[in-house]
Amino acid sequence: REALQKHAWRPSRTRFVTLQPKPREILAADFGDRVVHHLLVPWFERLYEPVFIHDSYANRKGKGTLAAVDRLQQCMRSGAAGQGQPGQWYALQLDIANFFNRIHRPTLFGLLQHRLVRAVRRQGLAPDEARTLQTLCRALLQAAPTEGVRRKGPPARFAAVPPHKRLAAQEPGRGLPIGNLTSQFFANVY
């Protein structure tokens, strides 16, 4: 609380590796940081939900895998996906390789800042609230995600993660830690 009030908050993380379904590096936010994440995401949901496309289901309230499957089945039954032509429809599920590691944090910060400025202009957000959100986002996105991280687990687990999948191996300014609420939401923004 004091760090937030003094604008001195900086993220801290614990790094570990999960092996299922494949070796993956996780940088989990500490409890205090999760409080900040749960402060930021609802504010940005208010600003971004109106502009997100309806049929995007990742990390959104009332969405998710089950909702995506239900929507796909609904489209398949109605024939809407194939413009009414039976048997001619398409669905796309994709996974962009190494997406979280490739996100350019300065670009993401610019997108978030632009949305905040726009919300202030439209009087949907008070200037002091926007400054607070901007300060927290700057602290979250400008800090190198692997600096000051506490490692948890045996070294062999970390060695199991391929180098191109390690956040520390990315070029400066790139990458969001997998496993954080803000990372999941900011990926949708990006």
Side-chain angles (χ1 to χ4, degrees):
R1 183 173 149 234
E2 286 177 30
L4 289 173
Q5 288 174 335
K6 293 177 182 178
H7 301 286
W9 172 80
R10 297 295 174 264
S12 55
R13 299 179 179 97
T14 300
R15 180 175 163 220
F16 62 94
V17 172
T18 180
L19 299 175
Q20 295 299 324
K22 58 187 173 186
R24 186 175 304 198
E25 175 186 61
I26 306 293
L27 278 84
D30 290 345
F31 180 79
D33 295 352
R34 291 178 195 195
V35 171
V36 172
H37 295 197
H38 283 275
L39 170 80
L40 285 172
V41 169
W43 276 104
F44 281 106
E45 282 176 338
R46 272 186 30 211
L47 303 176
Y48 276 98
E49 277 299 325
V51 298
F52 284 160
I53 63 170
H54 174 75
D55 284 326
S56 174
Y57 292 88
N59 195 55
R60 293 176 65 195
K61 286 182 182 173
K63 302 279 185 162
T65 305
L66 185 57
V69 169
D70 288 345
R71 175 75 170 142
L72 175 62
Q73 288 176 343
Q74 176 188 14
C75 289
M76 290 169 58
R77 283 191 292 274
S78 72
Q83 294 81 33
Q85 300 173 24
Q88 292 188 353
W89 54 269
Y90 301 93
L92 173 66
Q93 175 192 351
L94 60 98
D95 183 11
I96 300 171
N98 241 4
F99 178 66
F100 281 85
N101 282 348
R102 293 182 180 173
I103 289 175
H104 187 245
R105 292 190 313 275
T107 299
L108 173 60
F109 181 73
L111 293 170
L112 297 168
Q113 186 170 330
H114 173 76
R115 185 63 53 180
L116 290 170
V117 167
R118 192 172 173 174
V120 168
R121 270 196 222 127
R122 293 184 175 183
Q123 299 178 340
L125 187 64
D128 60 326
E129 291 171 326
R131 275 190 297 279
T132 298
L133 296 171
Q134 182 183 31
T135 299
L136 292 173
C137 287
R138 181 179 289 116
L140 193 60
L141 296 173
Q142 285 185 344
T146 56
E147 278 183 21
V149 172
R150 289 176 308 285
R151 239 167 86 158
K152 185 178 179 180
R157 278 196 165 200
F158 291 93
V161 178
H164 71 282
K165 295 278 190 179
R166 297 178 192 162
L167 197 53
Q170 305 310 308
E171 62 187 71
R174 293 225 179 247
L176 291 180
I178 294 174
N180 292 333
L181 179 62
T182 50
S183 296
Q184 300 295 321
F185 184 80
F186 290 167
N188 286 340
V189 168
Y190 194 78

